[in-house]
Structures are given as C-alpha cells and as structure tokens.
Amino acid sequence: MNYNNLLIEINNRTAVVTINRPDKLNALNKKTLEELDDLFSKLKFNDEVGVVILTGAGEKAFVAGADINELNQLNAITGIEFAEFGQSVFNKIENLGKPVIAAVNGFALGGGCELAMACHFRVASENAKFGQPEVNLGILPGYGGTQRLSRIVGIGLATELILTGDMIDSSEAYRIKLVNHVYTQNELLTKAKEIADKINSKGGFAVQMSVKGITASDELSEKDGLSYEASLFGLCCGTNDFKEGTSAFLEKRKPNFTGK
Ligand code: COA
C-alpha cells in the first residue's frame, strides 16, 4: 500500500511513524486509518523493529480528532461501522506485541487522544493539549475513549473530561498520569528515541512478553493474569537472552542480547 498520510522512518530498531496531514491538524480520515491498519500489520512481523514511536507532523497537532467532514456524513448504521473500524485499528496498535510510544506534539483531541491512549505510554511536548470534545459535536468518544481514559486516569476524571469536553494542557496531563513525561517541543522526539533506545537495549523477547502481560491485565482477572504471566515468564526462561542475561550478571559483564 502507498502511504499518502503517513511517514515512516526506521533507525536503530525504532520505527517513527508520523501522521502527516498537518494542514488538517493530522485529523484521522478513513484513508489515514486504513494506512495505519496496513502499516501496523506489517510492523508486527518486521524483525528490524523493536519499538514504535507514533507522532504527528508539524508543531501544532498530534491528531486533532477524527475527520469531522467524514463524521458529518454518518447515520446510525454507518456510525457503528465507523466506530468499529477505528476501534479495530487502535486495538491492533495496542496488541502489536511491541511497545508503541505516543510522542504527543500538540493537540490530541477526540480520536487523537484515543490514539495516544491505544499506545502503551505517552510522552508530550509542553504545548500539547488533550481532550475528548465529542460532546460538543453531539457524539461520544467512539474509538475507545470511554474505556481507556478511565483505566488510565480513573473513572471520576475520565467522566468529567468526557462530559465537559474540556481540554487540558500537558502539565495537567502529567499530573493525572495521562503522560509519563513532558519535554520541550524541540526535545520531544529525541527524548522519545532515547527511551526507545533504552528499551531496544534489553532482551527483545522479554520486552515483547512484558507488553503482552501488561496489556492483558486490562482484560483478565488477577488469577488469570497471574497464570498468563507465569506462562510468559516460562517462555522467557527458554530463550538464549535469558541464559545470556543471567550469565552476564554472574560474570559481571554487559549482556549481549540477540532477541532470541
Ligand atoms: N477534522 C477535520 N478537519 C479538522 C479537524 C478535524 N477533527 N481539526 C482541525 N481541522 C482542520 C480545520 O477545519 C482547518 O481546516 P481549513 O484550514 O481547511 O479550514 C485546519 O484543520 C486548521 O484548524 P483550525 O480550526 O483553523 O485551527 P485552530 O488553531 O483555530 O484550532 C483546534 C485548533 C484543534 C482547536 C480546532 O481545529 C478544533 O477544535 N478541531 C476539532 C477538534 C475536535 O472536535 N476533535 C474531535 C473530533 S471527534
């Protein structure tokens, strides 16, 4: 597939995916969602990629939401299909099996905030703004916002944000743990890449299994989650990286991980 609305750059095992419709504040139209769907299917099986960073083009927006021109055409039936398609793409990102970091460089509104929340964690620039303004349009968040926001910030704050449609700035997003770090606009991508480099320096299989376990914690009971964790732990114990990591510690040297 040719990507008209995405830029992809792979360096040092990190793929930087940039949503590239800056004149529309990177609003997610159907084509962009289809491109994300196709790209993340490929990234899953790309052994050259250990970590993905998702960001937006320009200095103003990460993603300013679903494309309101397309929203405006929906009816009760196509609205369900619209929400289900977006949800399936975001679920694919969440279930990539590799860490996806949202580098939020400006407005993350509606579908943009939901996209950032489908990533495994978020870092933001000082000018970033977050919100779920769908009630202003007579709808509710349809790409996972009613589910993921409350899991991340708690049900009380999530309810207030969704019902008022209020925007919050990056320091408030940091305070409520919607983002892990706030950086200047200039340093945002460099800092996100530093985090990605650090993750890529670890045992790759262990990183992937950690992401699987953490992601599953949303859906499993504690009993099932712990059982799943024990299985993932066992799988890691069968890898060369496990032998290498433990041996390197005992031999007081740096490990040389291969991801196998
Ligand atoms: N869908 C489609 N187009 C959008 C968009 C969206 N979600 N968000 C912004 N755009 C477009 C604008 O229509 C404008 O296009 P134009 O130049 O062809 O008129 C362009 O992006 C720039 O946006 P503009 O509104 O002029 O920028 P601003 O700095 O004045 O305001 C926002 C920025 C983010 C506050 C404002 O664009 C906004 O409220 N966007 C919608 C946010 C929203 O409700 N998202 C949830 C959708 S579910």
Side-chain angles (χ1 to χ4, degrees):
M1 180 187 255
N2 282 335
Y3 300 132
N4 296 329
N5 301 328
L6 300 179
L7 304 171
I8 301 109
E9 191 189 291
I10 301 177
N11 275 312
N12 302 325
R13 298 188 48 73
T14 297
V16 178
V17 177
T18 305
I19 299 177
N20 187 32
R21 292 181 79 210
D23 53 325
K24 297 292 173 195
L25 304 189
N26 304 318
L28 291 177
N29 60 1
K30 185 157 187 266
K31 176 84 174 80
T32 308
L33 280 176
E34 285 168 351
E35 291 182 13
L36 282 170
D37 190 44
D38 185 80
L39 177 64
F40 275 82
S41 296
K42 291 181 175 133
L43 288 173
K44 188 175 186 79
F45 298 106
N46 185 339
D47 289 339
E48 306 297 308
V49 173
V51 179
V52 179
I53 296 172
L54 196 51
T55 193
E59 299 198 338
K60 203 166 162 186
F62 172 69
V63 167
D67 191 310
I68 298 173
N69 297 295
E70 293 182 359
L71 278 177
N72 180 252
Q73 303 303 311
L74 297 177
N75 61 39
I77 302 298
T78 56
I80 293 175
E81 293 164 358
F82 178 93
E84 286 181 349
F85 179 54
Q87 289 173 6
S88 75
V89 176
F90 287 14
N91 286 345
K92 187 175 277 189
I93 292 171
E94 186 174 52
N95 293 304
L96 185 69
K98 307 173 186 186
V100 185
I101 305 169
V104 180
N105 56 309
F107 290 112
L109 302 176
C113 189
E114 291 168 302
L115 177 61
M117 292 191 294
C119 298
H120 298 105
F121 62 90
R122 291 144 292 284
V123 296
S125 57
E126 287 166 344
N127 64 315
K129 291 224 164 27
F130 295 80
Q132 297 289 164
E134 285 87 347
V135 284
N136 297 329
L137 303 172
I139 47 175
L140 77 162
Y143 289 170
T146 63
Q147 307 301 302
R148 291 193 178 97
L149 187 57
S150 57
R151 285 195 205 120
I152 296 170
V153 306
I155 198 159
L157 278 170
T159 305
E160 185 179 342
L161 283 169
I162 290 170
L163 300 191
T164 61
D166 280 350
M167 265 192 239
I168 56 170
D169 63 16
S170 53
S171 53
E172 176 66 357
Y174 175 75
R175 190 187 71 79
I176 66 174
K177 300 188 168 61
L178 183 55
V179 304
N180 290 7
H181 305 284
V182 179
Y183 304 116
T184 65
Q185 174 96 341
N186 278 346
E187 60 183 8
L188 177 67
L189 257 194
T190 308
K191 292 290 187 185
K193 284 178 188 170
E194 279 174 20
I195 298 171
D197 285 344
K198 185 182 269 192
I199 295 170
N200 274 323
S201 74
K202 314 297 177 188
F205 187 76
V207 166
Q208 290 184 14
M209 294 306 104
S210 301
V211 169
K212 271 180 181 278
I214 295 163
T215 305
S217 71
D218 273 349
E219 285 171 9
L220 299 179
S221 66
E222 186 165 317
K223 180 167 170 274
D224 290 343
L226 289 172
S227 167
Y228 186 49
E229 181 185 86
S231 303
L232 298 174
F233 186 88
L235 284 177
C236 286
C237 292
T239 63
N240 293 342
D241 276 354
F242 163 68
K243 291 278 174 254
E244 171 63 11
T246 48
S247 302
F249 177 84
L250 295 172
E251 292 161 16
K252 301 192 187 306
R253 62 175 174 82
K254 280 198 157 180
N256 181 20
F257 290 124
T258 60
K260 304 273 189 256

